[in-house]
Amino acid sequence: MECGYYNRDLCHSCTAIEVAYGRQLERKQELVRGLVDPLGSPRWLAPVASAEAGFRNKAKMVVAGEVGAPTLGILDGTRGTDLRDCPLYPAPVTRALHALGEFISRVRLLPYDVAKRRGELKHVVVTGSPEGRLMVRFMLRSTRQLPKIRENMDLLHELVPAADVVSVNLQPEHKAVIEGPEEILLTERSELVMTVNGIGLRVRPRSFFQTNTAVTERLYAQVAEWVSAADPVSVWDLYCGVGGFALHVADPAREVVGTEISPEAVASARDTARAMGLPEAGPGSVRFLADDAAATPADLPGTPELAIVNPPRRGLDASLCAWLEGSAVGHAVYSSCNAKTLARDLRRMPSLRPVEARLLDMFPHTGHYEAAVLLRRG
């Protein structure tokens, strides 16, 4: 991928950009296989490649610069570097970033100055759906400039007509964490619909969603294929997020339960299930609970025939590994973004052997990836 920002020494976020993309995939496959194969030598399916550009559905841009002349991009020390034309983003997101820069200038929002610890607007986050619809979030230090955004919503919709969801997040603290605890919706709609394999997943401002929609489709489809072959009558989807795995494995003869610690994500998952006409109890049901994945076995009766786990980079809690190892779960699917913690957790669950696996490249030009592994007891 050619990137003018990289060539001009302005941004080095894509650490592997000089490596041919085919070789990038090979390196990631070698890394993951080196950690997983000693624990069971699963059959590896062909890696799922990504588009090399225009694949990221979410842009998280630091706002810097001056009133009337903001930059949207990253910080070089305390100085802003504008990256509105980053080739990682699809055209609808790129257009929105330029339009939001104009909006910020015309409304005269005050960029946050990291060195001086003053100012208001810290970040702008734009998420784009496959259909080109958008969710826009302004991260402010306080509510001082919230009225300026509220009073100019007509201008915002004129400049960014595809913005279905607009919100303000308050982050008063001076630290690297982008989000604060309070989200203020400025539009009637509260969810962006992300269509994945024909399923309209609802995503709220504070909900997690994978940043590469095309590869996410392949991930969900792969897991659905494995679950279909195992044909369980009950499935638990732990760390279910907005319900992607759970809703993809729904079946008239199956009961599916998804658990996620984020109430926002659970609300989104329930909205999608209702829109699909899925019952909340009995055969064919899909229901979602706001719960810590590690606590789910104690909070839910019975044991599923198959469990899906999709933890953050830190991997599974030791207690959940112990429960899975000692349970009657016949199959499990582990979706991981960190092969080191994946391998650690597989060592904790020796009765669940990896039988098939696949690398999915969510993050071209970096060392990051997603790996999915089918586990079978025995």
Side-chain angles (χ1 to χ4, degrees), residues 223-297:
V223 172
E225 181 181 321
W226 283 337
V227 173
S228 178
D231 197 25
V233 298
S234 57
V235 173
W236 287 2
D237 177 9
L238 309 178
Y239 309 91
C240 71
V242 296
F245 288 120
L247 294 163
H248 273 77
V249 304
D251 183 272
R254 184 175 298 144
E255 293 186 36
V256 180
V257 179
T259 67
E260 167 62 47
I261 199 167
S262 165
E264 283 277 286
V266 168
S268 296
R270 288 172 177 166
D271 287 346
T272 305
R274 280 192 289 268
M276 294 173 66
L278 298 171
E280 295 186 14
S285 64
V286 180
R287 63 191 177 105
F288 295 96
L289 307 173
D291 198 11
D292 183 348
T296 298

Side-chain angles (χ1 to χ4, degrees), residues 122-361:
K122 294 184 171 184
H123 295 84
V124 169
V125 179
V126 180
T127 304
S129 76
E131 296 78 21
R133 308 308 298 176
L134 302 170
M135 176 162 60
V136 176
R137 303 174 70 200
F138 296 92
M139 273 60 177
L140 298 179
R141 187 174 69 153
S142 73
T143 59
R144 288 177 185 173
Q145 293 203 305
L146 174 59
K148 281 190 173 185
I149 300 175
R150 280 192 192 277
E151 292 163 7
N152 288 279
M153 285 298 291
D154 287 345
L155 174 61
L156 179 58
H157 283 301
E158 177 187 327
L159 293 171
V160 193
D164 289 342
V165 182
V166 180
S167 69
V168 164
N169 179 274
L170 299 181
Q171 172 52 293
E173 298 187 54
H174 180 81
K175 58 183 183 181
V177 178
I178 291 179
E179 292 188 358
E182 185 177 356
E183 196 86 21
I184 302 167
L185 274 169
L186 302 180
T187 50
E188 183 177 344
R189 294 188 187 182
S190 62
E191 297 171 320
L192 180 68
V193 177
M194 303 287 287
T195 304
V196 180
N197 296 319
I199 297 175
L201 298 174
R202 272 68 174 169
V203 179
R204 297 189 179 195
R206 290 173 58 81
S207 300
F208 170 78
F209 190 78
Q210 296 279 11
T211 60
N212 190 322
T213 308
V215 176
T216 298
E217 285 192 320
R218 299 287 299 277
L219 172 63
Y220 289 160
Q222 179 62 68
V223 172
E225 181 181 321
W226 283 337
V227 173
S228 178
D231 197 25
V233 298
S234 57
V235 173
W236 287 2
D237 177 9
L238 309 178
Y239 309 91
C240 71
V242 296
F245 288 120
L247 294 163
H248 273 77
V249 304
D251 183 272
R254 184 175 298 144
E255 293 186 36
V256 180
V257 179
T259 67
E260 167 62 47
I261 199 167
S262 165
E264 283 277 286
V266 168
S268 296
R270 288 172 177 166
D271 287 346
T272 305
R274 280 192 289 268
M276 294 173 66
L278 298 171
E280 295 186 14
S285 64
V286 180
R287 63 191 177 105
F288 295 96
L289 307 173
D291 198 11
D292 183 348
T296 298
D299 294 342
L300 283 179
T303 302
E305 291 188 1
L306 185 146
I308 300 169
V309 293
N310 183 26
R313 289 188 62 79
R314 67 176 181 274
L316 302 177
D317 287 358
S319 62
L320 183 55
C321 288
W323 180 82
L324 286 166
E325 170 64 15
S327 75
V329 170
H331 290 84
V333 176
Y334 195 133
S335 181
S336 170
C337 61
N338 184 347
K340 290 182 179 179
T341 53
L342 167 63
R344 179 203 66 196
D345 293 342
L346 294 182
R347 286 193 292 271
R348 291 171 170 173
M349 303 182 294
S351 296
L352 289 165
R353 305 290 291 173
V355 294
E356 200 159 85
R358 192 164 210 176
L359 177 85
L360 302 103
D361 192 15

Side-chain angles (χ1 to χ4, degrees), residues 42-60:
R43 183 171 79 95
W44 285 87
L45 303 175
V48 174
S50 170
E52 294 185 47
F55 59 84
R56 284 190 69 95
N57 59 36
K58 180 182 286 188
K60 300 179 181 179

Side-chain angles (χ1 to χ4, degrees), residues 1-4 6-7 14 16-21 24 51-55 86-89 364-365:
M1 181 185 72
E2 277 297 315
C3 176
Y6 183 87
N7 293 340
C14 294
I17 195 170
E18 294 186 8
V19 179
Y21 184 58
Q24 291 181 37
E52 294 185 47
F55 59 84
C86 172
L88 299 183
Y89 304 120
H365 319 305

